[in-house]
Amino acid sequence: MKEQTNEGPATGPFVTQPTASKKERIADGVTQARLRLRHRGMLILFAVWVVLPLIVAAFYLYFIAEDQYESRVGFSVRKEETSSPVELLGGITELSGNSSSDTDFLYKYIRGRQMMLSVDAKLNLREVYTRPADPVFALKRNASVEEMEDYWSRVVKVFYDTADGLIEVRVVAFSPEDAKRIAQEIFDEGSRKINELTAIARDDSTRYAEIERDRAIERLKVARQALTAFRIRTQIVDPEADIEGRMGLLNTLQTQLATALIDLDLLLNNTNPGDPRIVQTQQRIEVIEDRISEERNHFSTSSASADIPYSSLVGEYEGLLVDLKFAEESYIASLAAYEAAFAEAQRQSRYLAPYVSPTLAEISEFPQRATLLALTGGFLFITWAIAVLIFYSIRDRR
């Protein structure tokens, strides 16, 4: 009885306990079923979003994408360091500019459309880069100029070392020969462009020097014609020489006057007042004085132009001499500058010096399949993870 009594009350709680555990197990089963459903959805999304595109990308990279080869060429713009004859004459700076600006220009020119069109005209880039079986890494056959320019920036990479002024160009193509041909054509076209710019600068400097030379010649002609007109008008070849001659004549008259005055004094002291020699000597003195007065008047007025002071003619003549001397010196300097510019134009002062000739690849380096596949997988996984986080964030807010 005790055993039954003890079992009776003891079984009360144990009878209800299995009933509660059954409900909890049912609820836990439903919860686990719902979790497994969400997990399946995430796994399906992962397979569709990450695994399947990654398999497609791997298949395309390893079985469809064609091998690409790289050719490299490196060069710098060199300038001859020579002293110009113009610098020796007048301290004028060099006729050419700084080569660093040429390197900056060439760096942008290689990356631009004009370089692409020049290379396309020689090598037909559409034929080189068109691969119908590889639409991702190849160029469309009917690509527009804008599409070709965008593709050019993908297959031609330009690296510029501003410290040393060195440019390195890396060209990628579907065959090593095509890559080398394009790299060589880029180098040749860059060299032609540098020579063209240098020729334009030289032509400008030569043209300006020629203009200055012609201007100096015209100035010299005008100065000489003005001096000739002055001599014809005044009938004086050299006013300074004319003055020296007049001064010599005046000095001679002064000497003769002094001698006549001495003779007159001697006659007055030693002869009678009515002596005819006294009268002749007095007349001689008067003539000499008149001549001296007339010669002195010539210094204030010209014999050929009585209305023009002789001093003014001398000043005008000296001004003409100054103009003539300046015109002659300008002519000599401009002629030297023209000869120097012409000599400079006959030689090449700028050129491209390659430190790496266009290379011919032996193995394919592109496309970088492992790197591209890793980047693709990482991007797909990150986007899938972001989508999962957004899903759980929205679910937790409900």
Side-chain angles (χ1 to χ4, degrees):
M1 291 299 294
K2 289 182 179 179
E3 292 179 357
Q4 293 178 356
T5 303
N6 292 333
E7 291 177 358
T11 57
F14 289 104
V15 173
T16 58
Q17 184 65 30
T19 303
S21 298
K22 183 177 181 180
K23 291 181 180 180
E24 290 178 359
R25 286 195 300 269
I26 293 173
D28 292 340
V30 175
T31 302
Q32 292 175 3
R34 290 178 180 175
L35 288 175
R36 285 195 296 270
L37 182 61
R38 288 196 302 274
H39 289 165
R40 288 176 183 175
M42 295 303 168
L43 291 176
I44 293 174
L45 180 62
F46 181 81
V48 174
W49 194 313
V50 179
V51 178
L52 184 60
L54 197 59
I55 293 175
V56 173
F59 178 80
Y60 187 91
L61 288 172
Y62 285 95
F63 296 99
I64 297 179
E66 296 190 17
D67 293 338
Q68 298 179 18
Y69 301 85
E70 182 184 72
S71 178
R72 299 185 180 187
V73 59
F75 51 85
S76 64
V77 180
R78 306 296 297 174
K79 183 177 75 169
E80 294 180 1
E81 297 293 341
T82 56
S83 297
S84 174
V86 181
E87 299 177 7
L88 300 178
L89 288 174
I92 303 175
T93 56
E94 294 183 357
L95 299 177
S96 56
N98 191 352
S99 61
S100 61
S101 60
D102 296 333
T103 308
D104 296 336
F105 168 81
L106 193 61
Y107 169 70
K108 294 184 179 297
Y109 178 73
I110 294 174
R111 302 172 61 193
R113 177 180 296 187
Q114 189 61 41
M115 173 63 81
M116 183 266 296
L117 294 176
S118 299
V119 176
D120 180 55
K122 298 290 184 61
L123 303 180
N124 192 359
L125 295 179
R126 289 183 176 86
E127 181 178 352
V128 171
Y129 285 106
T130 298
R131 294 293 187 275
D134 187 5
V136 175
F137 297 100
L139 179 66
K140 295 191 301 183
R141 185 174 296 276
N142 57 347
S144 62
V145 176
E146 289 75 14
E147 291 173 335
M148 288 183 61
E149 185 176 5
D150 180 69
Y151 189 80
W152 177 264
S153 63
R154 291 166 50 190
V155 297
V156 176
K157 301 295 183 182
V158 186
F159 302 91
Y160 179 26
D161 186 355
T162 56
D164 299 328
L166 303 178
I167 294 180
E168 181 179 351
V169 181
R170 301 178 184 178
V171 181
V172 176
F174 292 103
S175 69
E177 293 78 11
D178 288 339
K180 183 178 180 181
R181 287 167 53 205
I182 294 174
Q184 184 65 51
E185 186 58 33
I186 290 175
F187 176 81
D188 294 341
E189 180 63 24
S191 181
R192 284 193 292 269
K193 195 64 178 179
I194 288 295
N195 292 336
E196 179 182 346
L197 295 177
T198 305
I200 293 174
R202 290 171 178 167
D203 291 341
D204 290 341
S205 63
T206 304
R207 185 173 66 254
Y208 296 148
E210 185 176 0
I211 292 174
E212 291 299 325
R213 183 202 62 181
D214 295 340
R215 186 179 302 173
I217 292 175
E218 186 64 25
R219 185 185 298 116
L220 182 60
K221 289 180 179 179
V222 172
R224 288 179 175 177
Q225 290 173 358
L227 186 59
T228 302
F230 171 82
R231 288 169 176 171
I232 294 174
R233 176 169 53 86
T234 60
Q235 297 181 355
I236 300 175
V237 177
D238 188 353
E240 294 180 356
D242 188 69
I243 290 176
E244 291 179 359
R246 291 179 184 273
M247 288 299 298
L249 177 60
L250 186 60
N251 291 332
T252 302
L253 292 174
Q254 292 284 357
T255 303
Q256 293 178 0
L257 178 61
T259 302
L261 290 174
I262 293 172
D263 293 341
L264 179 62
D265 290 339
L266 291 174
L267 290 173
L268 291 176
N269 293 329
N270 299 321
T271 60
N272 297 323
D275 192 338
R277 290 180 297 178
I278 296 176
V279 176
Q280 292 178 354
T281 303
Q282 290 177 344
Q283 290 177 352
R284 179 180 175 82
I285 290 173
E286 291 177 359
V287 172
I288 293 175
E289 288 179 347
D290 292 340
R291 176 56 60 186
I292 291 175
S293 177
E294 184 178 352
E295 289 298 328
R296 286 177 175 176
N297 290 333
H298 287 168
F299 288 99
S300 59
T301 58
S302 173
S303 60
S305 302
D307 56 338
I308 301 177
Y310 200 88
S311 58
S312 299
L313 293 178
V314 174
E316 182 180 355
Y317 178 77
E318 291 177 350
L320 293 175
L321 286 181
V322 171
D323 294 340
L324 179 60
K325 185 177 181 180
F326 176 77
E328 290 175 348
E329 293 177 353
S330 299
Y331 170 72
I332 294 174
S334 62
L335 185 61
Y338 174 76
E339 294 295 335
F342 184 78
E344 182 76 10
Q346 302 305 312
R347 61 186 179 86
Q348 183 179 3
S349 61
R350 282 184 178 84
Y351 55 91
L352 293 187
Y355 63 88
V356 176
S357 299
T359 59
L360 182 65
E362 295 183 357
I363 60 174
S364 170
E365 297 182 281
F366 299 91
Q368 297 176 335
R369 294 177 172 86
T371 302
L372 292 176
L373 194 62
L375 292 175
T376 302
F379 174 77
L380 293 175
F381 178 79
I382 291 174
T383 55
W384 172 82
I386 293 174
V388 171
L389 292 176
I390 292 174
F391 171 76
Y392 275 104
S393 176
I394 295 175
R395 179 178 176 277
D396 292 340
R397 290 179 178 273
R398 294 179 179 177

